[in-house]
Amino acid sequence: RDIVGAVNLGAVHTRIGEFAKSEEYARIAMNLDPTSTIPYLNLGKALNLQSRYDEAKTVFEDALKQNFASPQIQKGLFTVAFAKGDQGE
């Protein structure tokens, strides 16, 4: 199955500030293709924008455990740590 529609709808909802809807579409995309990095990035971002930092961190860490070698995953972890004010992460 193709994740493009879910990814694009999630991106639109992020742009208009509907982060819960963005989360929903990221989860749909993840279920459609759990081997793609993009849904993890989008889900982590959506959770971070909802101030759900621990959940966002878990999503990004799960992506790393699956060997998704993307600098965006590392950036996501940094963004979460920055938002939380964690200086040691």
Side-chain angles (χ1 to χ4, degrees):
R1 289 184 159 175
D2 192 359
I3 65 170
V4 173
V7 167
N8 288 342
L9 284 168
V12 168
H13 285 286
T14 296
R15 281 189 208 111
I16 62 175
E18 295 179 348
F19 307 128
K21 267 306 216 197
S22 179
E23 174 190 352
E24 178 183 335
Y25 284 108
R27 291 186 189 281
I28 290 170
M30 190 179 293
N31 286 330
L32 290 172
D33 186 0
T35 65
S36 176
T37 306
I38 296 168
Y40 285 86
L41 291 169
N42 291 353
L43 179 57
K45 182 177 181 179
L47 293 168
N48 192 41
L49 290 168
Q50 293 176 78
S51 301
R52 293 164 56 190
Y53 306 123
D54 292 334
E55 292 172 79
K57 180 180 176 184
T58 298
V59 168
F60 290 128
E61 288 174 342
D62 287 348
L64 289 176
K65 288 177 189 171
Q66 294 189 47
N67 295 318
F68 291 146
S70 167
Q72 296 299 330
I73 299 291
Q74 294 293 335
K75 179 182 174 187
L77 283 169
F78 173 79
T79 302
V80 170
F82 182 80
K84 287 177 64 175
D86 291 341
Q87 296 180 13
E89 293 189 31

Short mmCIF file of all heavy atoms in Angstrom, two decimals, residues 6 9 16 57 67 71 79:
data_model
loop_
_atom_site.label_atom_id
_atom_site.label_comp_id
_atom_site.label_asym_id
_atom_site.label_seq_id
_atom_site.Cartn_x
_atom_site.Cartn_y
_atom_site.Cartn_z
N ALA A 6 -1.45 9.53 3.03
CA ALA A 6 -1.46 9.76 4.48
C ALA A 6 -0.35 10.72 4.89
O ALA A 6 -0.56 11.60 5.73
CB ALA A 6 -1.33 8.43 5.22
N LEU A 9 -1.40 14.28 3.75
CA LEU A 9 -2.47 14.83 4.60
C LEU A 9 -1.93 15.22 5.97
O LEU A 9 -2.30 16.25 6.53
CB LEU A 9 -3.62 13.84 4.73
CG LEU A 9 -4.52 13.74 3.51
CD1 LEU A 9 -5.45 12.54 3.63
CD2 LEU A 9 -5.33 15.02 3.33
N ILE A 16 -1.20 23.63 9.17
CA ILE A 16 -2.31 24.47 9.64
C ILE A 16 -2.53 24.36 11.15
O ILE A 16 -3.50 24.87 11.68
CB ILE A 16 -3.61 24.18 8.86
CG1 ILE A 16 -4.08 22.74 9.05
CG2 ILE A 16 -3.43 24.51 7.39
CD1 ILE A 16 -5.43 22.44 8.39
N LYS A 57 10.09 11.31 21.86
CA LYS A 57 11.42 10.73 22.03
C LYS A 57 11.39 9.23 21.78
O LYS A 57 12.26 8.68 21.10
CB LYS A 57 11.94 11.03 23.44
CG LYS A 57 13.31 10.48 23.71
CD LYS A 57 13.77 10.81 25.12
CE LYS A 57 15.11 10.16 25.40
NZ LYS A 57 15.54 10.38 26.78
N ASN A 67 17.20 0.87 12.70
CA ASN A 67 18.31 1.22 11.81
C ASN A 67 17.92 2.18 10.70
O ASN A 67 18.47 2.11 9.60
CB ASN A 67 18.97 -0.04 11.23
CG ASN A 67 19.62 -0.87 12.30
OD1 ASN A 67 20.27 -0.34 13.20
ND2 ASN A 67 19.42 -2.18 12.24
N PRO A 71 19.60 11.62 9.25
CA PRO A 71 19.96 12.73 10.13
C PRO A 71 18.72 13.40 10.72
O PRO A 71 18.79 14.02 11.77
CB PRO A 71 20.72 13.69 9.22
CG PRO A 71 20.91 13.02 7.92
CD PRO A 71 20.09 11.78 7.90
N THR A 79 15.55 18.13 18.84
CA THR A 79 14.43 19.06 18.98
C THR A 79 13.61 18.76 20.23
O THR A 79 13.21 19.67 20.95
CB THR A 79 13.54 19.01 17.73
OG1 THR A 79 14.35 19.32 16.59
CG2 THR A 79 12.40 20.01 17.80
#
